Amino acid sequence: MRTGANVRTIESPSQRVLLRSVKAASSMRAPRESMCKPLGFRELRRIPTFAVPRPKPFTRNQPIKNHTHVCNIVGGVISPLLANIYLHWFEKAFYGPQGPATWAQARMVRYADDFVIMAQRVTPQLIEWVESQLEGRFRLTINRSKTRTVDLKQPSASIDFLGYTFRFDRDLFGRGGRYLNVLPSKRSLARFRDRVRELTARCRGYVPVTDLLRDLRRYLAGWGRYFSFGYPRRVTALC
């Protein structure tokens, strides 16, 4: 700021800091050419080196340490993969010479971390073998709330597996016998209705009709292909 003939400079605190930073930057020297040159053999010899200890060799009589850390990954992304690895070896033992497939004529169907064991008679020996393998050998925890023994010969007995419900119903033509009915479970039908309501909700009014119909048609086609096993005509009636 200039006043009259005398020239004076009035600096604010921010301007002072700016001038100081400019002076400090101007006082910095450029790096010497010797600092930019690559290191030669003599300079490399002056760099200190560090000795890395080698791991001790493993001996056969050396005791193995058992780690007691427990990791709970139920519901995680990797949970089905690890369960599939464990159940792979469980299935190997199940169909092995000493497994229930040999001495109980049992069969096993599994997918990811869910499996179903089918046998003419579910004996205490079979239940004990399954529990000893899963909880003893593989150290897994059986979900007791989702594990049960079902006798499909009973009139109201059914089992849900992979979105389907398996049960024996009376013959549709009144011949006195029963047949194995396979249809989508109640939980699958509830999810189907919720998804259709979500695709056709009022909040999606801004979506063009062609795009809405395309999304709805794509979902119905995929759902219908998955549940085409069994009696698909009764599925459309239930929906």
Side-chain angles (χ1 to χ4, degrees), residues 121-165:
R121 295 182 56 189
V122 180
T123 59
Q125 183 182 1
L126 177 59
I127 298 176
E128 183 181 358
W129 186 92
V130 173
E131 293 179 351
S132 64
Q133 289 289 320
L134 293 177
E135 297 183 339
R137 178 183 177 185
F138 298 104
R139 298 184 181 181
L140 300 176
T141 302
I142 300 177
N143 192 346
R144 304 291 179 179
S145 61
K146 296 183 179 180
T147 304
R148 60 194 181 102
T149 303
V150 180
D151 186 6
L152 290 179
K153 296 179 181 179
Q154 300 298 327
S156 60
S158 64
I159 182 173
D160 294 343
F161 186 62
L162 300 181
Y164 282 93
T165 296

Side-chain angles (χ1 to χ4, degrees), residues 6-206:
N6 298 329
V7 179
R8 294 189 303 172
T9 302
I10 302 177
E11 299 176 355
S12 62
S14 60
Q15 292 177 347
R16 293 175 183 175
V17 174
L18 179 60
L19 291 174
R20 289 177 182 177
S21 60
V22 171
K23 291 179 181 179
S26 62
S27 62
M28 295 178 62
R29 298 180 180 178
R32 295 179 299 177
E33 295 181 359
S34 61
M35 298 176 62
C36 301
K37 292 182 179 180
L39 296 177
F41 180 73
R42 295 182 180 180
E43 288 79 2
L44 290 175
R45 292 182 61 183
R46 297 175 184 176
I47 299 177
T49 58
F50 301 93
V52 179
R54 295 183 178 180
K56 297 181 180 180
F58 178 79
T59 59
R60 181 172 296 182
N61 297 329
Q62 182 180 356
I64 301 176
K65 296 181 180 180
N66 294 326
H67 299 279
T68 58
H69 298 285
V70 179
C71 180
N72 186 7
I73 56 173
V74 176
V77 179
I78 200 173
S79 178
L81 174 61
L82 296 179
N84 196 18
I85 294 174
Y86 276 94
L87 292 181
H88 170 76
W89 296 107
F90 173 74
E91 186 177 6
K92 288 287 186 180
F94 186 90
Y95 286 101
Q98 306 296 330
T102 303
W103 47 264
Q105 287 75 42
R107 295 294 179 266
M108 176 182 174
V109 180
R110 67 181 182 91
Y111 181 81
D113 55 348
D114 294 332
F115 64 92
V116 176
I117 296 176
M118 300 171 289
Q120 293 292 336
R121 295 182 56 189
V122 180
T123 59
Q125 183 182 1
L126 177 59
I127 298 176
E128 183 181 358
W129 186 92
V130 173
E131 293 179 351
S132 64
Q133 289 289 320
L134 293 177
E135 297 183 339
R137 178 183 177 185
F138 298 104
R139 298 184 181 181
L140 300 176
T141 302
I142 300 177
N143 192 346
R144 304 291 179 179
S145 61
K146 296 183 179 180
T147 304
R148 60 194 181 102
T149 303
V150 180
D151 186 6
L152 290 179
K153 296 179 181 179
Q154 300 298 327
S156 60
S158 64
I159 182 173
D160 294 343
F161 186 62
L162 300 181
Y164 282 93
T165 296
F166 300 88
R167 69 189 182 194
F168 280 98
D169 290 340
R170 291 183 299 178
D171 188 71
L172 297 177
F173 300 97
R175 290 174 290 190
R178 295 197 304 167
Y179 70 102
L180 180 62
N181 192 3
V182 182
L183 68 161
S185 62
K186 295 181 179 179
R187 188 175 180 180
S188 299
L189 293 176
R191 289 180 178 177
F192 172 78
R193 298 187 186 99
D194 294 340
R195 182 57 179 169
V196 171
R197 293 191 190 100
E198 182 181 350
L199 292 175
T200 59
R202 292 184 178 179
C203 61
R204 299 194 67 201
Y206 64 92

